[in-house]
Amino acid sequence: MQTKLHRWAAANPGRRFDDVFNLVHDPAFLMAAWDRVRGNKGGRTAGVDGIVPRFVAPEDVIGMLAELRRLVKSGEFTPVPVRERRIPKAGGKTRSLGIPTMTDRIVQASLKLVLEPIFEANFQPSSYGFRPRRRAQDAVAEIHYYTTGNRSYEWVFEGDIKACFDEIDHTALMGRVRGRIADKRVLGLIRAFLKAGVLTEDGLNRDTRTGTPQGGIPSPLLANIALSVLDEHFTTKWEALGPSWTRAKHLRAGGATMKLIRYADDFVVLVRGPRAAAEALFSEVANVLEPMGLRLSEEKTHLTHIEDGFDFLGWHIQRRTWQGRGGTKQTVYTYPSKKSVASIKAKIRLLTRRNAHRTLADLLRRLNPAIRGWCNYFQHGASKRTFGYVDHFAFWRIVRWLNKRHPKLNKHTVVRHFLPGWHIAADGIEFFRAWQVPVTRYRYRGAKIPNPWMPRPSTTTA
């Protein structure tokens, strides 16, 4: 059914779907939604109802979904306020998460199953965050593509939207949703979730006049719908310049070309042309975002030259000059930012505290996934030297942990008993060596990234 919705939406960009509410309460959609709610990380947390999805007995699921279907179908279902949870951020600030109840999450997940394939047909290739089969590495690869070779985009407008999820204007958002959805019951359900309110940590009920709470299942999709105004604006500007030869003529006449790369509410605009054209983006982008109730963060929005480098999605991206056999060349490097390295070091320190684990095996069970996941994210860049540094840091933190856990043993005895041949292992679990992770360039996929609802190539044989 999702494949059909996507095909219909892609075939007719102006089509408005007026009878999709029946899919939201369809038993198959609700069961798929339940599987997602129970299986994701949020399945371990409870909303204001106090129910943890992971702890619901299997024998109770069918009855629970049947009653929920009845309530949604009859129009009796009403979302309740989300439970607020404050998450610390860098710099001492906090981020607010809104945790819906279990039944609200199921309906939200079913709603997303219906809406996502429809709106995916509208989204631009330059948008990467919270979209199926798209990764942060795709966004970084596109930046690398446009800043290297003959393309040589040099100015980087680093945009950051202030409190994006909290300040999206409901009226403007619903207007964009209505561009595709005409079913008043679905629109009413979306509006009800937006207006459900928040139960704060202080026990107070707060109305939600703007924004879509982080933690809500459809919130990333709704945020992408709102922020697609930015994607469409720069796509229109790009297409207005015509084919490559007219863009080249435009550049020779002193004009500028621009490419937007967006990952959720973090984005950059690459500019090829005079600095003045890049500086004009401060007001241009602000004007595009204003109708959606959104503002640029003055502290985090910058204009940078690619040779000075900038941080994006945990990476540091910079064009550098190096001397090779063929002479002097300029290359754009992507490698872990200082902030990302500091983050993994802080995590390693936390996991290697003296009393954090009872045995070396327990320590390795927690430490290995953290280092492996970090390396997997950064392996598609110039990260080999950084991996060696992180490996060295983690190795000696483990040695230090062993010395503190066994204060009566001298260092030579600790090495002889626990690190034979300087090899760290316990109970069949070996220390994950970051320096051994292979480094490869991520392949830029451009507009060829498939989504789950595209038809697969034919496999017929002669």
Side-chain angles (χ1 to χ4, degrees), residues 10 22 70 77 116 122 154 163 190 210 227 243 264 266 281 293 299 326 349 366 372 375:
N22 60 315
R70 185 190 68 79
F77 174 80
E116 190 171 45
N122 289 71
E154 54 184 355
I190 297 172
T210 61
L227 291 171
D266 290 324
L281 286 171
E299 315 87 65
R349 283 193 190 97
R366 294 290 306 280
R372 182 185 292 110
C375 290

Side-chain angles (χ1 to χ4, degrees), residues 162 345 393 418:
K162 192 170 185 177
K345 285 176 66 178
F393 179 81
F418 299 100

Side-chain angles (χ1 to χ4, degrees), residues 35 63 92 164 166 191 196 221 288 296 317 350 373 446:
D35 288 340
C164 175
D166 299 330
R191 192 180 298 106
L221 173 62
V288 173
L296 286 174
I317 305 169
L350 183 66

Side-chain angles (χ1 to χ4, degrees), residues 55-131:
F55 296 160
V56 175
E59 60 269 18
D60 297 334
V61 172
I62 298 299
M64 179 266 294
L65 292 180
E67 175 61 15
L68 182 59
R69 178 174 186 268
R70 185 190 68 79
L71 293 172
V72 174
K73 186 177 181 180
S74 65
E76 299 175 53
F77 174 80
T78 303
V80 300
V82 298
R83 179 170 70 88
E84 183 184 54
R85 185 177 178 185
R86 309 295 299 186
I87 305 296
K89 292 174 60 178
K93 297 181 180 180
T94 60
R95 176 167 59 98
S96 178
L97 286 183
I99 305 173
T101 62
M102 180 186 69
T103 51
D104 282 5
R105 271 180 267 184
I106 296 171
V107 178
Q108 287 179 358
S110 183
L111 189 62
K112 184 183 178 184
L113 288 171
V114 174
L115 296 178
E116 190 171 45
I118 295 173
F119 283 96
E120 271 292 321
N122 289 71
F123 290 155
Q124 300 297 324
S126 59
S127 167
Y128 294 98
F130 304 120
R131 294 183 60 189

Side-chain angles (χ1 to χ4, degrees), residues 199-210:
L199 179 65
T200 68
E201 291 185 334
D202 299 327
L204 302 175
N205 281 306
R206 188 179 74 238
D207 293 337
T208 46
R209 295 184 176 88
T210 61

Side-chain angles (χ1 to χ4, degrees), residues 140-156 259 261 270-272 306-307 310 317-320 322 329-334 441-442 444:
V140 175
E142 182 166 5
I143 294 173
H144 186 271
Y145 175 80
Y146 278 100
T147 52
T148 55
N150 295 328
R151 293 165 292 275
S152 297
Y153 282 69
E154 54 184 355
W155 295 107
V156 182
K259 286 296 293 183
I261 295 96
L270 305 178
V271 181
R272 184 179 182 183
I306 188 64
E307 291 183 359
F310 65 100
I317 305 169
Q318 185 174 9
R319 182 188 293 162
R320 290 184 172 183
W322 61 279
K329 293 183 180 180
Q330 285 190 325
T331 303
V332 174
Y333 289 91
T334 56
R441 170 62 62 191
Y442 191 84
Y444 171 55

Side-chain angles (χ1 to χ4, degrees), residues 18 29 132 135 141 169 178 187 275 297 304 309 313 349 368 402 407 424:
D18 58 1
F29 273 76
R135 311 170 62 196
D169 183 83
R178 286 192 195 93
L187 295 172
R275 179 188 174 99
S297 170
T304 311
L313 303 178
R349 283 193 190 97
N368 281 351
L402 287 169
I424 301 178

